[in-house]
Amino acid sequence: MSITLDEARAVSVRVREHAAGLGAQVTVAIVDSGGHLQVLDRMDGAPPLSARIAPAKASSVALFHRDGRELVRLQEAWPALFAQLDQVAGTPIVPGAGSRLIRRGGDVVGAIAVSGGMPEQDDECTDAGLALIGGAEPSSTR
């Protein structure tokens, strides 16, 4: 089962509210468990490229079943492999801060990514969205 559209929309609203409180303009992307886009929400003033980066980060996390920071570590360890993953996956693979799995009962039901703020802001916004639905599980890789 994947995150529902209503849940994804509510998480997006929460992320935007949190970002506004930080003074950040971001884009939030939420994908289902297969990495397919459910919600793409770009705040006024968010960097234009963030509307492409956020969905790529979210789908990367969903496809790998690893949070963004862990993907960054894997990319650093195997740069030659990551240089070719876009071709194999058929979609951009973009590791980075502000991208996390959404879990329910230990199962991956989707992923979220935020782009446009500083990495710490993207992470904080992602966490605020996940807290709304309890969709995160403790991770030793964060």
Side-chain angles (χ1 to χ4, degrees):
M1 176 165 189
S2 290
I3 184 172
T4 68
L5 182 57
D6 287 341
E7 288 172 320
R9 287 178 174 155
V11 167
S12 180
V13 168
R14 179 66 187 116
V15 168
R16 286 186 291 113
E17 290 171 349
H18 193 80
L22 296 175
Q25 292 85 34
V26 302
T27 297
V28 58
I30 301 171
V31 300
D32 65 16
S33 58
H36 304 284
L37 189 61
Q38 283 192 295
V39 171
L40 179 64
D41 201 351
R42 181 174 169 254
M43 294 174 68
D44 291 339
L49 193 55
S50 67
R52 294 186 186 240
I53 293 171
K57 289 194 314 186
S59 64
S60 297
V61 165
L63 292 172
F64 274 87
H65 281 211
R66 290 178 176 18
D67 289 337
R69 296 240 184 233
E70 188 175 350
L71 286 181
V72 168
R73 285 191 287 277
L74 290 172
Q75 182 184 42
E76 290 168 351
W78 294 296
L81 172 65
F82 269 77
Q84 299 192 24
L85 279 177
D86 291 2
Q87 294 172 9
V88 174
T91 188
I93 302 297
V94 180
S99 52
R100 303 266 312 275
L101 290 169
I102 303 171
R103 296 180 184 267
R104 185 173 292 127
D107 295 325
V108 173
V109 297
I112 179 174
V114 175
S115 181
M118 298 300 294
E120 302 80 24
Q121 291 173 318
D122 290 353
D123 277 336
E124 191 175 325
C125 289
T126 300
D127 290 344
L130 288 173
L132 180 71
I133 59 170
E137 291 184 357
S139 171
S140 61
T141 60
R142 280 211 61 219

